[in-house]
Amino acid sequence: MVDFLQNWVYLTGAMALVGIGLYIVLTNTNIFRIIVGLNIIDSGTNLFIVTIAWHPKSVMPIYTATNNLVVNGHVISADPLPQSLVLTAIVIGLGTTALALAIAVKIYQKYGTLDVRKIKEGDR
Amino acid sequence: MMSDTPEMVKKVFAIFVVGILIIGFFMVFTQMPKGNEVNVNNTVSRFYVMKDVDHATQMLDKGTYFNKDMVPLRNDVPYTPITFGKSSNLEDGAANVVTSIVVDYRGFDTLGEVTVLFLAASGVMLVLHGEKRKIPKKKIAPSEIMYVGTRIAFAVIFLFGIYVFIHGHLTPGGGFPGGAIIASGILGLFLGRQGYSPNKAGLTVFESLSGMAYVIIGIIGLVGEKSFLANFLPTGTIGDLFSAGFIALIYIAIGMKVGSELSAVTNAMIVDTEED
Amino acid sequence: MKTYNLAALLVGVPLLMAFSIPLFGFISKQLAKWITVLTLGFEFFFGLYIFLWHIYPFNVIMGNWLPPFGENLYIGPFATVLIILISFVGLMISIYNLWSANHGDVVHFALLFLMFVGGSIGLVSTGDIFNIFIFMEITGISSFALAAYGPERRALGGAFKYLVVSSIGSTLYLFGVLLIYTQLGTLNIAEIAARISQTTSGLLTFAGILLVAGLAVEAELFPFNGWVPDTYTGAVNPVSATLSGIGSVGGVYVLFRILMTVFGKDGNFVSTYGNIDLMALVAILGSATVVIGELSALVQKNVKKMLAYSSMAQMGLVAIGFSIGSKMGSYAGVFQLVNHSIAKAMMFLILGIIVSFGIGEHIEDMKGLWYKSPFLTVTFTIGSLSLLGLPLFGGFWSKFALVDASIQRGGWYDFVIAIVLFASVVEAFYYLRIVGYMFTSKPTSTDKIKVSISPAVPIVAFSILIIAIGVFPQIVGGISWNAAHELTDKMGGYVLNVIPTIVGH
């Protein structure tokens, strides 16, 4: 049971976040909520990336005086590569969010609303 | 997104799409190593942790890294033990393996990542260009305590940010968190003083110079070591502050860049939106 | 393995110049724009040097870590032709921008434009599957900002829509990459390509679908192309030209690099590993894109929107070409990509000049353009004729090759012939309708349009190139054929050039 939980709980969480975020993006018409949805998808992605690097007996991938990463020629640390990828993914998510918010501010100024439907009507 | 469709149809469609995606993912997860099955030795990260890509490359050149069926024999690469504080002149001297990947083994990714943040900041300035700065008419002006407190806190936060990115190769952290910490200090200044505005030109110069410094470090590698973004400094003893070669230089550049960039974004975002 | 590490400057120089543009911007705004021109000129001549001195195929090693342990750029014939194409179109649009970009924050506009082109060059040359994601985001973020630029407020809605769709697309791409990583433990394209059959087929199929869905956003394939009309119409014309002429090139490149090199199973006709044949899936998506794009373009009364839908349809044709899977098909795809990119970029630029003289974008507004500006009318006609595939214009050869390749493939690809012919007929109808308006009706006012030198240079260069390709198709033909060879022979054309000892002893 513990094994089952260890294997699945983070994956389920990551997928739940992605699903919730995608649902928000698809159904909402408010630009701000869409941005929040995108952020939730990003969190899900990041959680997923960290999850594939982790195993229950892993140690942190940093050499210290007490932390040995390799035992008998066998690496026991968490996988450091996805952890470096997640850093990239976080920064990219931050950049996209910043730009999306800037566009949202500008849209609010020009249209006086953040509702996608009203913006479309405004363009007609 | 689809604005003309009725609410109900849209929700059903969204549930359908999300459902298909989730079901697909869970079917795939059964075939994927997870939890106890994850084994770092089956990935290329094994050499990053062992700091022995050189050895693996020698095997690759001899043709013994891959077998006949093109399966890599990663566990055949012998291991040279690494002792913290003693092993020196390793191919990469960073005690933090994640840092060694981010800056050294996959440094090109990080150059791209810095560019993404730079472009996002430039994009924010392009989109919000020509907006009137908001002079906040706060009903309650920040108190004297707030004013003094944020300024004292800024000094401490600034030093802490510098500490984080200088120790990026030894501890968790590095250029991006360090820069974000510095920017949070500047955010404090915005809160503490009405109408505070940082020197915009100064931020731009800082940002540009640190970005150029990163690329120039890469080009020095190209000239000196015949490869873009190659380490051209000695790697020292693992665990020392002055170790890991060019990683500290790059993290300083990244830290300054991210700090000035995020401050500039914060500054650009404070615009008048004419709410009334 | 041949290495030529100096070519790292192809990515390094645009980055260095982009970081320095804000500093030049303090001196003068015009200087910032000139820096773009000079940098892209450097890229173009570097590309020509690689091509003419036949240095390709080669690897660029980053940080002295050989693939598959570090990152590398692989510049084969396919990457070479696209680097030249992207830097040429980028150079021309940057010359045009000297005249057109005056609104708002010009310095950051020049910077983002430069990085969009530089990022696309990185995208087509990188040899690491995660690095592709980063370059997708570099081009993505710069194009969101570029699309939002301009005096018109409709640009904002289009840019936001593009941002949302594109970020979801790149998330799907990232998931696909990570799923493959969990089983193979590597991110190098060559190693993944060689070992793709060692994954379980269920995971492979799902990862493939995620990758296709993510990349179809940039490659403008149905049903992920809803952003195209809004974004292209809203953006200022040079930006639409950039997105159409450069952005979609990168998208298509990555899509078929993944499908044919990474997922491909060699044979007479390349198919993919996994439970379903993704090449056939893309062929279906491409056909749907052509039909929908052409029919939507047909009913449009707004010329810019028409060009946007036509751009979508042309990308569908490119996708069909590659997805045939034979050498001839890939040749047609590369050739069609070059033709579309040049002609469509030129037409958006022409429209930009017309609009800047206070003439609207509506089809009725084109009436009597001949009397106002013979130069713009003739060049617009050249672009239209090339797109609809008339002999003596570039587009003829690629559509000819496309039909030829479908005949060779046979089976239900005979259907593709019908689609290509249908597309040509519909295109002929709507493009010739505009051209007809331009030549026939006399306008109410005959104010001459005086085109200054900087916007005229790119238009002249593009039209000369279109006719040159039409008369001497071997200019593009030779290297397109090499590119097709690289795509259809995955071990010999790609993997062994990157990791020569992948088959050990």
Side-chain angles (χ1 to χ4, degrees):
Chain A
M1 185 63 198
V2 176
D3 269 7
F4 179 79
L5 273 182
Q6 276 180 344
N7 289 353
W8 284 96
V9 69
Y10 296 119
L11 289 175
T12 313
M15 279 309 114
L17 285 174
V18 172
I20 291 168
L22 197 56
Y23 181 81
I24 291 175
V25 172
L26 287 174
T27 51
N28 274 289
T29 52
N30 185 303
I31 282 181
F32 191 72
R33 289 188 188 179
I34 292 176
I35 296 175
V36 171
L38 286 180
N39 263 309
I40 296 175
I41 295 180
D42 271 347
S43 319
T45 319
N46 298 341
L47 181 54
F48 178 76
I49 304 177
V50 183
T51 306
I52 63 170
W54 176 86
H55 58 98
K57 296 191 182 67
S58 57
V59 297
M60 66 174 179
I62 300 178
Y63 283 99
T64 66
T66 51
N67 196 18
N68 253 332
L69 305 190
V70 191
V71 175
N72 299 330
H74 200 78
V75 176
I76 55 162
S77 75
D79 191 345
L81 183 55
Q83 299 198 352
S84 68
L85 303 187
V86 82
L87 187 62
T88 311
I90 290 171
V91 170
I92 286 172
L94 170 76
T96 316
T97 309
L99 198 52
L101 286 172
I103 295 176
V105 167
K106 198 83 178 179
I107 285 178
Y108 188 77
Q109 274 178 356
K110 300 269 172 165
Y111 291 88
T113 175
L114 282 176
D115 194 317
V116 176
R117 286 168 298 190
K118 286 183 188 147
I119 292 168
K120 260 204 164 156
E121 277 165 27
D123 272 344
R124 287 218 177 96
Chain B
M1 297 292 294
M2 275 154 282
S3 49
D4 297 334
T5 36
E7 202 72 1
M8 201 57 211
V9 176
K10 221 158 68 174
K11 278 186 181 159
V12 171
F13 172 76
I15 290 173
F16 179 72
V17 170
V18 172
I20 296 256
L21 196 71
I22 302 260
I23 290 170
F25 266 114
F26 275 96
M27 282 165 76
V28 167
F29 287 162
T30 56
Q31 305 178 2
M32 191 184 94
K34 59 196 165 297
N36 292 319
E37 301 147 27
V38 173
N39 186 352
V40 188
N41 297 285
N42 291 339
T43 69
V44 74
S45 318
R46 175 176 158 85
F47 312 118
Y48 302 150
V49 176
M50 301 191 324
K51 298 192 179 299
D52 216 356
V53 168
D54 282 347
H55 222 120
T57 312
Q58 282 167 21
M59 280 182 69
L60 184 75
D61 286 342
K62 275 187 284 178
T64 52
Y65 179 71
F66 288 100
N67 72 7
K68 270 201 195 82
D69 301 322
M70 297 189 282
V71 178
L73 306 169
R74 291 179 176 127
N75 285 303
D76 287 7
V77 178
Y79 167 60
T80 328
I82 295 174
T83 328
F84 182 80
K86 291 208 177 71
S87 306
S88 57
N89 293 326
L90 298 162
E91 60 174 26
D92 177 281
N96 184 346
V97 181
V98 178
T99 300
S100 72
I101 295 174
V102 166
V103 184
D104 197 356
Y105 293 115
R106 295 180 66 83
F108 191 51
D109 270 0
T110 307
L111 183 56
E113 188 182 339
V114 170
T115 314
V116 167
L117 199 55
F118 175 63
L119 291 176
S122 310
V124 169
M125 284 167 214
L126 178 72
V127 172
L128 294 178
H129 180 77
E131 297 305 329
K132 270 182 288 171
R133 270 188 67 83
K134 181 169 191 169
I135 311 297
K137 291 170 206 135
K138 279 185 202 149
K139 292 194 178 85
I140 307 164
S143 67
E144 204 62 18
I145 298 172
M146 186 87 170
Y147 176 70
V148 178
T150 50
R151 299 189 73 172
I152 295 172
F154 174 72
V156 180
I157 291 171
F158 191 78
L159 283 177
F160 180 60
I162 290 176
Y163 175 86
V164 166
F165 65 67
I166 285 183
H167 286 74
H169 56 292
L170 300 176
T171 55
F176 293 97
I181 289 168
I182 290 178
S184 72
I186 298 212
L187 180 65
L189 293 186
F190 279 112
L191 297 175
R193 204 186 329 169
Q194 225 162 14
Y196 170 75
S197 165
N199 184 347
K200 226 173 147 188
L203 285 180
T204 310
V205 171
F206 230 68
E207 193 182 337
S208 290
L209 287 181
S210 47
M212 286 164 74
Y214 193 170
V215 183
I216 287 170
I217 290 172
I219 290 178
I220 292 174
L222 183 61
V223 175
E225 303 287 321
K226 305 270 179 292
S227 181
F228 193 63
L229 285 171
N231 187 5
F232 52 88
L233 292 175
T235 50
T237 305
I238 183 169
D240 282 2
L241 180 57
F242 292 102
S243 64
F246 73 155
I247 288 182
L249 291 184
I250 288 184
Y251 258 169
I252 290 171
I254 293 177
M256 296 201 302
K257 186 161 179 58
V258 173
S260 49
E261 229 152 46
L262 292 183
S263 316
V265 169
T266 317
N267 187 33
M269 284 272 182
I270 304 176
V271 292
D272 198 350
T273 44
E274 289 164 29
E275 272 163 52
D276 312 336
Chain C
M1 183 175 72
K2 202 172 141 192
T3 57
Y4 179 57
N5 284 347
L6 199 62
L9 293 179
L10 272 177
V11 182
V13 169
L15 279 174
L16 185 65
M17 296 325 271
F19 288 141
S20 67
I21 280 184
L23 298 182
F24 290 112
F26 283 130
I27 304 172
S28 135
K29 284 182 178 175
Q30 204 63 20
L31 184 64
K33 291 194 255 179
W34 273 103
I35 294 289
T36 339
V37 176
L38 291 178
T39 314
L40 293 176
F42 167 80
E43 300 285 291
F44 177 58
F45 285 110
F46 206 142
L48 272 189
Y49 169 67
I50 290 170
F51 171 51
L52 294 176
W53 270 257
H54 209 288
I55 301 172
Y56 68 91
F58 62 87
N59 283 283
V60 181
I61 308 298
M62 294 293 171
N64 272 335
W65 310 112
L66 292 193
F69 307 113
E71 287 173 293
N72 66 314
L73 306 182
Y74 174 70
I75 298 180
F78 193 20
T80 309
V81 62
L82 293 188
I83 287 172
I84 296 175
L85 174 70
I86 290 170
S87 53
F88 177 71
V89 176
L91 175 65
M92 288 305 145
I93 298 175
S94 66
I95 293 175
Y96 183 91
N97 280 341
L98 290 176
W99 167 78
S100 83
N102 298 313
H103 165 85
D105 192 349
V106 178
V107 175
H108 283 116
F109 176 78
L111 186 164
L112 287 159
F113 177 80
L114 176 60
M115 261 340 282
F116 182 78
V117 183
S120 301
I121 289 174
L123 185 65
V124 299
S125 50
T126 181
D128 188 280
I129 202 165
F130 185 76
N131 209 233
I132 286 181
F133 170 73
I134 294 190
F135 278 114
M136 269 166 65
E137 288 296 337
I138 288 181
T139 54
I141 287 194
S142 43
S143 57
F144 309 147
L146 288 176
Y149 167 81
E152 289 185 67
R153 68 175 191 178
R154 64 178 179 175
L156 298 166
F160 188 76
K161 198 169 181 181
Y162 183 26
L163 188 147
V164 172
V165 178
S166 177
S167 0
I168 293 177
S170 54
T171 306
L172 294 182
Y173 176 86
L174 186 56
F175 269 109
V177 169
L178 294 167
L179 287 177
I180 294 175
Y181 176 80
T182 56
Q183 287 213 339
L184 294 182
T186 181
L187 293 169
N188 184 276
I189 290 182
E191 190 183 341
I192 296 175
R195 298 175 54 212
I196 196 75
S197 57
Q198 296 166 18
T199 54
T200 53
S201 74
L203 179 132
L204 188 64
T205 314
F206 190 66
I209 292 174
L210 290 178
L211 292 174
V212 169
L215 294 168
V217 174
E218 298 291 330
E220 302 179 10
L221 291 184
F222 177 82
F224 305 99
N225 52 8
W227 59 274
V228 174
D230 288 356
T231 312
Y232 281 26
T233 321
V236 293
N237 279 295
V239 172
S240 308
T242 321
L243 290 175
S244 170
I246 297 175
S248 48
V249 172
V252 164
Y253 167 85
V254 180
L255 179 59
F256 287 98
R257 173 62 81 211
I258 299 281
L259 282 186
M260 298 179 79
T261 301
V262 177
F263 280 69
K265 199 195 294 182
D266 279 350
N268 277 343
F269 300 103
V270 177
S271 56
T272 62
Y273 285 97
N275 295 336
I276 57 169
D277 186 5
L278 294 171
M279 292 289 271
L281 179 72
V282 171
I284 295 167
L285 293 185
S287 310
T289 313
V290 174
V291 174
I292 292 170
E294 298 289 17
L295 290 180
S296 314
L298 187 60
V299 298
Q300 288 306 320
K301 291 277 182 257
N302 180 315
V303 177
K304 203 171 178 186
K305 228 170 194 160
M306 187 186 285
L307 288 178
Y309 278 113
S310 157
S311 178
M312 202 156 119
Q314 295 275 331
M315 291 324 285
L317 284 179
V318 173
I320 290 177
F322 282 110
S323 63
I324 291 171
S326 65
K327 222 166 152 180
M328 194 68 185
S330 306
Y331 168 78
V334 178
F335 210 145
Q336 175 76 14
L337 194 58
V338 173
N339 284 328
H340 161 255
S341 171
I342 295 171
K344 198 49 66 65
M346 180 178 90
M347 290 168 85
F348 272 118
L349 294 185
I350 294 173
L351 194 63
I353 298 180
I354 296 175
V355 170
S356 79
F357 281 89
I359 303 169
E361 289 168 1
H362 198 266
I363 186 163
E364 301 278 332
D365 298 325
M366 298 296 144
K367 277 185 176 167
L369 190 70
W370 169 254
Y371 300 96
K372 293 178 190 164
S373 172
F375 169 65
L376 293 181
T377 314
V378 168
T379 46
F380 193 89
T381 313
I382 290 175
S384 313
L385 295 181
S386 173
L387 282 178
L388 61 88
L390 211 71
L392 287 183
F393 294 92
F396 170 72
W397 299 104
S398 50
K399 280 197 177 158
F400 187 73
L402 195 54
V403 172
D404 195 7
S406 333
I407 292 173
Q408 279 178 18
R409 174 87 195 235
W412 69 272
Y413 274 86
D414 287 340
F415 188 59
V416 168
I417 304 170
I419 287 179
V420 175
L421 294 178
F422 163 80
S424 300
V425 171
V426 177
E427 275 168 354
F429 187 76
Y430 62 76
Y431 277 128
L432 292 183
R433 187 172 56 177
I434 304 179
V435 172
Y437 274 145
M438 284 179 171
F439 277 106
T440 52
S441 3
K442 242 190 155 33
T444 42
S445 72
T446 48
D447 306 337
K448 291 271 185 239
I449 295 179
K450 222 173 150 320
V451 184
S452 54
I453 185 99
S454 105
V457 167
I459 291 171
V460 171
F462 281 138
S463 4
I464 290 176
L465 193 60
I466 288 172
I467 293 176
I469 293 175
V471 182
F472 306 106
Q474 56 270 33
I475 310 175
V476 186
I479 192 160
S480 301
W481 195 253
N482 287 345
H485 181 80
E486 178 192 331
L487 277 171
T488 46
D489 176 14
K490 90 175 198 182
M491 285 307 276
Y494 192 95
V495 176
L496 291 176
N497 285 339
V498 181
I499 311 175
T501 55
I502 190 139
V503 184
H505 47 72

